[in-house]
Amino acid sequence: MNETPGAEATYVPRQESPRGQGEELLSAALRYAGERHWDVVPGTWLETGGRTGAPRCSCGDAECHAPGAHPARRDWKAAATASATVVRRLWATHPRAAVLLPTGRTFDVVDVPETAGCLALARLERDGRAPGPVAATPDRRMYFFVLPGATAKAIDGLHALGYASSAALDLAVRGEGDWAAAPPTRFGRSGRAQWVRRPTAARAWLPDVADLIGTLAYACGRERLTARRRP
C-alpha cells in the first residue's frame, strides 16, 4: 500500500485528471462485467474543497468511514449489472464513482487483515494451492475471492478448528447483501484498492472457502497473537 500518513493541514492531494480517473474506473467496471461476468455498481466518489483541499466523500458525512468507497444509493443491490450498456450509462452520470462488486452472487469475499492475508497467501502458494483472485485495500485489509455460499462453510470450518467465532480472528465473510470495493477505487486520502492476484483467464475459477479457511484462520490467529505482544 502506498499510504502517506500526515496531518490534514499538510496534505497535498495527488494531481490526477478527473477525466483520467473516470476513464480508468469505467474501464475497470467494463472489464469486470464483460470479462468476468461480475455485477458492478457505482458507489460514492471523492470531492475536493475546503481550506486544505483534502478529499471528501460525496455522501456529505464528515465522519464517513469509507470516503469515496461505499454505496451511494439505497437500491444499489437492484442497480448492480453486468451489462456493458448499462455500466456506461451509470458511470456517465458520475465518472469518478467507486467500482463496487456485490458479494453473494458470483462470489463471496473473505476479508482479513493485510498482514494475515500476506502470510496466508505465501503459505497457500508455497503448498501449491492457488488462492484465486486476491485484492488489497489501503485500509490494510485483504480480500480473498471464493465461491458464493461461503459464510456457513467458514463458520463450520472455524468451529472444527476450535474457534467460537470469526470475530476473535478479525476475519469476516462478505456474502449476500454485502459488497467489496474493487480496484482501482480510491479510499479517501489513503490510496487505491489494488489487485494482489489479479483475476485473469488463468485465474478465472474461484476456490471453495473450505479449502482456504484453515490457512486463513492460522494466519489471522498468528497476527492477533503478534499484535498482543507488541509494546
Side-chain angles (χ1 to χ4, degrees):
M1 297 299 100
N2 294 323
E3 187 171 355
T4 306
E8 183 173 303
T10 60
Y11 171 71
V12 178
R14 179 181 173 182
Q15 298 300 313
E16 292 182 283
S17 162
R19 180 177 179 180
Q21 293 177 47
E23 290 176 348
E24 185 177 21
L25 289 161
L26 173 60
S27 177
L30 289 170
R31 283 199 307 274
Y32 298 141
E35 296 177 11
R36 303 269 72 81
H37 306 293
W38 291 350
D39 284 350
V40 297
V41 66
T44 53
W45 58 94
L46 294 174
E47 299 176 336
T48 56
R51 182 174 59 85
T52 64
R56 302 173 300 179
C57 186
S58 61
C59 71
D61 183 356
E63 303 299 325
C64 180
H65 69 288
H70 65 85
R73 46 196 285 184
R74 291 183 179 180
D75 66 341
W76 65 270
K77 287 178 280 189
T81 180
S83 164
T85 300
V86 178
V87 167
R88 290 182 184 279
R89 185 170 70 243
L90 289 172
W91 263 269
T93 304
H94 296 294
R96 291 183 293 147
V99 180
L100 306 183
L101 304 174
T103 52
R105 300 184 181 188
T106 310
F107 55 81
D108 284 353
V109 162
V110 184
D111 178 345
V112 300
E114 182 182 76
T115 304
C118 290
L119 174 60
L121 185 60
R123 289 176 68 90
L124 289 168
E125 295 186 334
R126 183 193 65 192
D127 295 342
R129 291 182 288 158
V134 181
T137 65
D139 57 352
R140 305 192 70 81
R141 307 293 298 183
M142 284 182 69
Y143 297 162
F144 286 74
F145 285 63
V146 297
L147 290 171
T151 300
K153 289 184 178 181
I155 292 173
D156 289 346
L158 291 174
H159 286 172
L161 292 167
Y163 295 101
S165 73
S166 61
L169 295 172
D170 193 13
L171 177 154
V173 177
R174 295 173 178 250
E176 185 175 357
D178 208 342
W179 52 273
T185 295
R186 179 175 292 280
F187 285 55
R189 294 184 294 171
S190 301
R192 301 181 179 193
Q194 303 176 40
W195 286 112
V196 180
R197 296 293 181 269
R198 187 181 299 275
T200 62
R203 198 179 287 117
W205 66 278
L206 296 170
D208 192 312
V209 71
D211 296 329
L212 305 184
I213 194 63
T215 302
L216 291 172
Y218 166 80
C220 287
R222 182 169 173 177
E223 165 59 18
R224 298 284 277 189
L225 182 61
T226 301
R228 285 198 295 268
R229 289 177 175 172
R230 293 187 187 117

PDB file of all heavy atoms in Angstrom, residues 52-64:
ATOM      1  N   THR A  52      -8.021  23.027   3.020  1.00  0.00           N
ATOM      2  CA  THR A  52      -6.864  22.174   2.749  1.00  0.00           C
ATOM      3  C   THR A  52      -6.941  21.468   1.400  1.00  0.00           C
ATOM      4  O   THR A  52      -5.945  20.952   0.918  1.00  0.00           O
ATOM      5  CB  THR A  52      -6.729  21.097   3.839  1.00  0.00           C
ATOM      6  OG1 THR A  52      -7.877  20.235   3.779  1.00  0.00           O
ATOM      7  CG2 THR A  52      -6.651  21.725   5.220  1.00  0.00           C
ATOM      8  N   GLY A  53      -8.106  21.428   0.814  1.00  0.00           N
ATOM      9  CA  GLY A  53      -8.262  20.709  -0.443  1.00  0.00           C
ATOM     10  C   GLY A  53      -8.275  19.207  -0.272  1.00  0.00           C
ATOM     11  O   GLY A  53      -8.148  18.466  -1.249  1.00  0.00           O
ATOM     12  N   ALA A  54      -8.423  18.736   0.964  1.00  0.00           N
ATOM     13  CA  ALA A  54      -8.448  17.292   1.222  1.00  0.00           C
ATOM     14  C   ALA A  54      -9.707  16.677   0.624  1.00  0.00           C
ATOM     15  O   ALA A  54     -10.764  17.310   0.597  1.00  0.00           O
ATOM     16  CB  ALA A  54      -8.393  17.027   2.724  1.00  0.00           C
ATOM     17  N   PRO A  55      -9.626  15.452   0.144  1.00  0.00           N
ATOM     18  CA  PRO A  55     -10.799  14.822  -0.463  1.00  0.00           C
ATOM     19  C   PRO A  55     -11.880  14.534   0.565  1.00  0.00           C
ATOM     20  O   PRO A  55     -11.605  14.159   1.701  1.00  0.00           O
ATOM     21  CB  PRO A  55     -10.226  13.532  -1.050  1.00  0.00           C
ATOM     22  CG  PRO A  55      -9.015  13.241  -0.247  1.00  0.00           C
ATOM     23  CD  PRO A  55      -8.447  14.574   0.127  1.00  0.00           C
ATOM     24  N   ARG A  56     -13.135  14.710   0.147  1.00  0.00           N
ATOM     25  CA  ARG A  56     -14.292  14.423   0.991  1.00  0.00           C
ATOM     26  C   ARG A  56     -15.213  13.481   0.237  1.00  0.00           C
ATOM     27  O   ARG A  56     -15.278  13.499  -0.987  1.00  0.00           O
ATOM     28  CB  ARG A  56     -15.052  15.714   1.315  1.00  0.00           C
ATOM     29  CG  ARG A  56     -14.219  16.775   2.020  1.00  0.00           C
ATOM     30  CD  ARG A  56     -15.001  18.065   2.139  1.00  0.00           C
ATOM     31  NE  ARG A  56     -15.378  18.576   0.820  1.00  0.00           N
ATOM     32  CZ  ARG A  56     -16.077  19.686   0.628  1.00  0.00           C
ATOM     33  NH1 ARG A  56     -16.497  20.399   1.668  1.00  0.00           N
ATOM     34  NH2 ARG A  56     -16.360  20.091  -0.591  1.00  0.00           N
ATOM     35  N   CYS A  57     -15.935  12.670   0.991  1.00  0.00           N
ATOM     36  CA  CYS A  57     -16.856  11.738   0.356  1.00  0.00           C
ATOM     37  C   CYS A  57     -18.080  12.474  -0.164  1.00  0.00           C
ATOM     38  O   CYS A  57     -18.593  13.396   0.479  1.00  0.00           O
ATOM     39  CB  CYS A  57     -17.274  10.659   1.353  1.00  0.00           C
ATOM     40  SG  CYS A  57     -18.273   9.344   0.606  1.00  0.00           S
ATOM     41  N   SER A  58     -18.560  12.043  -1.307  1.00  0.00           N
ATOM     42  CA  SER A  58     -19.732  12.676  -1.914  1.00  0.00           C
ATOM     43  C   SER A  58     -20.992  12.476  -1.081  1.00  0.00           C
ATOM     44  O   SER A  58     -21.988  13.157  -1.295  1.00  0.00           O
ATOM     45  CB  SER A  58     -19.962  12.108  -3.321  1.00  0.00           C
ATOM     46  OG  SER A  58     -20.211  10.710  -3.259  1.00  0.00           O
ATOM     47  N   CYS A  59     -20.962  11.562  -0.095  1.00  0.00           N
ATOM     48  CA  CYS A  59     -22.145  11.341   0.744  1.00  0.00           C
ATOM     49  C   CYS A  59     -22.399  12.508   1.679  1.00  0.00           C
ATOM     50  O   CYS A  59     -23.496  12.632   2.240  1.00  0.00           O
ATOM     51  CB  CYS A  59     -22.006  10.040   1.545  1.00  0.00           C
ATOM     52  SG  CYS A  59     -20.792  10.105   2.883  1.00  0.00           S
ATOM     53  N   GLY A  60     -21.392  13.366   1.876  1.00  0.00           N
ATOM     54  CA  GLY A  60     -21.573  14.545   2.709  1.00  0.00           C
ATOM     55  C   GLY A  60     -21.302  14.333   4.182  1.00  0.00           C
ATOM     56  O   GLY A  60     -21.330  15.287   4.960  1.00  0.00           O
ATOM     57  N   ASP A  61     -21.018  13.112   4.598  1.00  0.00           N
ATOM     58  CA  ASP A  61     -20.749  12.825   6.013  1.00  0.00           C
ATOM     59  C   ASP A  61     -19.282  13.117   6.306  1.00  0.00           C
ATOM     60  O   ASP A  61     -18.393  12.454   5.779  1.00  0.00           O
ATOM     61  CB  ASP A  61     -21.078  11.359   6.305  1.00  0.00           C
ATOM     62  CG  ASP A  61     -20.888  10.989   7.764  1.00  0.00           C
ATOM     63  OD1 ASP A  61     -20.427  11.849   8.550  1.00  0.00           O
ATOM     64  OD2 ASP A  61     -21.179   9.828   8.129  1.00  0.00           O
ATOM     65  N   ALA A  62     -19.030  14.103   7.174  1.00  0.00           N
ATOM     66  CA  ALA A  62     -17.657  14.477   7.502  1.00  0.00           C
ATOM     67  C   ALA A  62     -16.912  13.350   8.213  1.00  0.00           C
ATOM     68  O   ALA A  62     -15.684  13.307   8.194  1.00  0.00           O
ATOM     69  CB  ALA A  62     -17.648  15.725   8.374  1.00  0.00           C
ATOM     70  N   GLU A  63     -17.641  12.422   8.831  1.00  0.00           N
ATOM     71  CA  GLU A  63     -17.028  11.305   9.547  1.00  0.00           C
ATOM     72  C   GLU A  63     -17.190   9.996   8.774  1.00  0.00           C
ATOM     73  O   GLU A  63     -17.170   8.920   9.379  1.00  0.00           O
ATOM     74  CB  GLU A  63     -17.660  11.173  10.939  1.00  0.00           C
ATOM     75  CG  GLU A  63     -17.566  12.416  11.791  1.00  0.00           C
ATOM     76  CD  GLU A  63     -16.126  12.819  12.074  1.00  0.00           C
ATOM     77  OE1 GLU A  63     -15.290  11.900  12.216  1.00  0.00           O
ATOM     78  OE2 GLU A  63     -15.850  14.022  12.139  1.00  0.00           O
ATOM     79  N   CYS A  64     -17.339  10.075   7.465  1.00  0.00           N
ATOM     80  CA  CYS A  64     -17.564   8.884   6.646  1.00  0.00           C
ATOM     81  C   CYS A  64     -16.480   7.842   6.911  1.00  0.00           C
ATOM     82  O   CYS A  64     -15.292   8.155   6.911  1.00  0.00           O
ATOM     83  CB  CYS A  64     -17.575   9.262   5.171  1.00  0.00           C
ATOM     84  SG  CYS A  64     -17.859   7.860   4.062  1.00  0.00           S
TER      85      CYS A  64
END
